Amino acid sequence: MAFQSNALCFGSDLPGQGIPSHVETTPEGLALTFSDQHSQPPVPFDQLSLEAGGFDHDQLVVKWTQGGASRTLYIKDAAVIAAFRHAAPPELLAHFDRAAASVRQVRTTRRTVLLAVVGLLVTLGLGAWFGSDALATWAVSLIPPEWEKQIGESAMKDVLAQQEVVREGPVVDAVKEMTTRLTEQIANSPYQFTVTVVKSPVVNAFALPGGSVVVFTGLVKEAKSPEEVAGVLGHEINHVLQRHGMERIVKTLGVMAIAAIVFGDQQGLIGLAKQLGVEIITLKYNRDQETEADLTGLRLLHKAKVDPAGMIAFFERLAQSEKETQRVELLSTHPMSARRAGQLTAELKALPKFLPEPFAFDWEKVQASIKSSDAQPKL
Ligand SMILES: [Zn+2]
């Protein structure tokens, strides 16, 4: 019969790598045959000591002394271990079972503690990540600008479907001139900015990911100077450049959006964003994003030689309207505060002095065109 190894035997008188062995349990003890078919003298149970061993502590380790040499036998075969348990005297097994149980217990306790610690860290970590927006920010940093453009354009279609777009005239020309003047100063922008004027009395402007900007005629009508409108545009353009809108969207959509981004599923992300519908323009920016858009917006105005005093004056007026709870749409997504106007004033002082250059359009004509179109009866 061919030799079948079911154990490995080590000994002080044996080769270092051990000898593959065939072991059988008899009523008296262990009968051992080495791979060279050399039968060993049987070892009685009362000469054996047992331990649990091996990488997973699932091996039976049997030790004894034979002719002055120490022997250790590793048995992994479950059938052999079962046969051994069946034949061995209970005193011998009791010691082994105690040892195995304590190993199991230590391991279980360690595993429980480890799981609890990992669970806590994951919960705290994810909580902190979600709380501080860092997870959304990281995910957004992986989104190619092309995806943002598609998400923005798709949302824009939905938004404009419910609005009256002003296609030409003094307001459109003025807003385009302001946008060009500002965006010309942005170096290496991955975005192509487009601006659309919507006829609506609400005082608002917003920007979608990828560079679609919308200005409501109510904002132009409410502004006391073109520099005030340009200030809002500078702020909105920077929300796009810093990808704040995209962060709002990803944070709102949650884990599914992050998974779509990580796995490079462009259509999946666009589909998810589409579910937000026109709600996309009502997502609020957080305080840090507002501050960032304010300061970078101010620097952009400075670079474009647009008087930043307009931006500050407008924000101060909005902060006042908010106190008076006047309904200004711009405030619902960009809450104003006196603190923000104060920060802008301090930032402006730190920038080098410059001589502002006025816009080419006729501001009075622009405002008059809104009033006259308001007066037209609706058909
Ligand atoms: Zn804002």
Side-chain angles (χ1 to χ4, degrees):
M1 197 179 93
F3 175 80
Q4 232 181 345
S5 156
N6 59 11
L8 192 60
C9 190
F10 294 88
S12 51
D13 58 338
L14 300 176
Q17 74 275 23
I19 294 186
S21 314
H22 180 83
V23 65
E24 263 172 48
T25 25
T26 68
E28 291 76 37
L30 286 183
L32 200 61
T33 311
F34 282 165
S35 52
D36 55 7
Q37 309 279 344
H38 197 249
S39 279
Q40 299 293 302
V43 194
F45 282 120
D46 61 5
Q47 287 183 23
L48 301 177
S49 71
L50 301 184
E51 280 171 29
F55 182 68
D56 264 338
H57 288 87
D58 57 353
Q59 297 190 25
L60 179 63
V61 185
V62 187
K63 292 185 173 182
W64 71 97
T65 313
Q66 188 171 312
S70 63
R71 290 277 166 91
T72 306
L73 188 71
Y74 286 83
I75 307 170
K76 198 169 181 173
D77 191 310
V80 179
I81 294 173
F84 184 90
R85 283 184 160 282
H86 189 70
E91 318 83 78
L92 184 64
L93 288 171
H95 174 71
F96 169 74
D97 285 340
R98 267 200 308 277
S102 87
V103 165
R104 268 198 304 275
Q105 201 184 354
V106 167
R107 210 191 303 157
T108 309
T109 312
R110 249 189 237 153
R111 203 173 283 167
T112 310
V113 169
L114 190 70
L115 276 179
V117 169
V118 168
L120 190 70
L121 285 178
V122 166
T123 311
L124 282 177
L126 282 183
W129 264 25
F130 272 114
S132 70
D133 299 352
L135 183 58
T137 307
W138 167 76
V140 166
S141 72
L142 304 175
I143 300 176
E146 180 55 32
W147 296 24
E148 281 188 88
K149 198 178 146 219
Q150 288 193 27
I151 289 168
E153 280 172 358
S154 156
M156 191 71 159
K157 243 189 226 160
D158 293 346
V159 172
L160 294 184
Q162 307 168 3
Q163 304 289 345
E164 188 184 337
V165 175
V166 182
R167 305 213 176 266
E168 52 187 12
V171 183
V172 175
D173 295 343
V175 168
K176 278 193 175 153
E177 184 184 324
M178 292 182 212
T179 309
T180 307
R181 179 120 160 231
L182 294 174
T183 53
E184 270 173 1
Q185 298 302 321
I186 305 165
N188 308 318
S189 167
Y191 309 107
Q192 190 74 45
F193 285 89
T194 60
V195 63
T196 306
V197 177
V198 162
K199 192 183 168 203
S200 161
V202 298
V203 180
N204 204 4
F206 62 85
L208 289 166
S212 306
V213 181
V214 170
V215 173
F216 290 81
T217 50
L219 174 73
V220 181
K221 194 181 167 189
E222 196 63 30
K224 302 271 188 258
S225 72
E227 284 75 16
E228 293 190 359
V229 179
V232 174
L233 282 173
H235 176 96
E236 290 299 332
I237 286 168
N238 277 285
H239 273 315
V240 174
L241 291 173
Q242 323 286 340
R243 301 177 147 196
H244 292 158
M246 206 60 235
E247 280 173 30
R248 297 291 85 197
I249 293 168
V250 170
K251 200 172 145 78
T252 305
L253 294 173
V255 164
M256 290 292 286
I258 290 166
I261 295 162
V262 170
F263 291 111
D265 179 7
Q266 179 181 7
Q267 290 315 314
L269 185 67
I270 292 171
L272 283 168
K274 195 134 181 70
Q275 288 174 14
L276 291 173
V278 295
E279 295 297 306
I280 212 162
I281 61 165
T282 64
L283 300 177
K284 283 184 176 53
Y285 296 103
N286 66 34
R287 202 171 137 153
D288 290 345
Q289 291 175 328
E290 288 304 336
T291 303
E292 198 179 6
D294 281 353
L295 298 181
T296 50
L298 184 84
R299 283 177 216 136
L300 186 60
L301 293 178
H302 185 269
K303 248 182 158 176
K305 296 195 164 44
V306 176
D307 190 354
M311 182 188 197
I312 297 172
F314 190 60
F315 280 17
E316 273 168 352
R317 276 219 315 288
L318 285 180
Q320 196 58 36
S321 330
E322 188 154 63
K323 256 191 236 155
E324 291 158 4
T325 63
Q326 200 173 312
R327 196 176 138 72
V328 178
E329 290 290 326
L330 192 66
L331 296 172
S332 65
T333 46
H334 310 256
M336 286 298 154
S337 64
R339 184 187 60 84
R340 283 179 61 186
Q343 265 180 335
L344 285 173
T345 309
E347 174 73 10
L348 181 58
K349 273 190 190 140
L351 290 172
K353 295 267 170 296
F354 73 103
L355 195 64
E357 287 173 13
F359 289 105
F361 54 80
D362 182 342
W363 175 243
E364 276 172 20
K365 213 169 132 189
V366 170
Q367 284 207 306
S369 76
I370 298 170
K371 280 171 194 148
S372 68
S373 84
D374 281 353
Q376 277 172 11
K378 281 232 151 147
L379 294 173

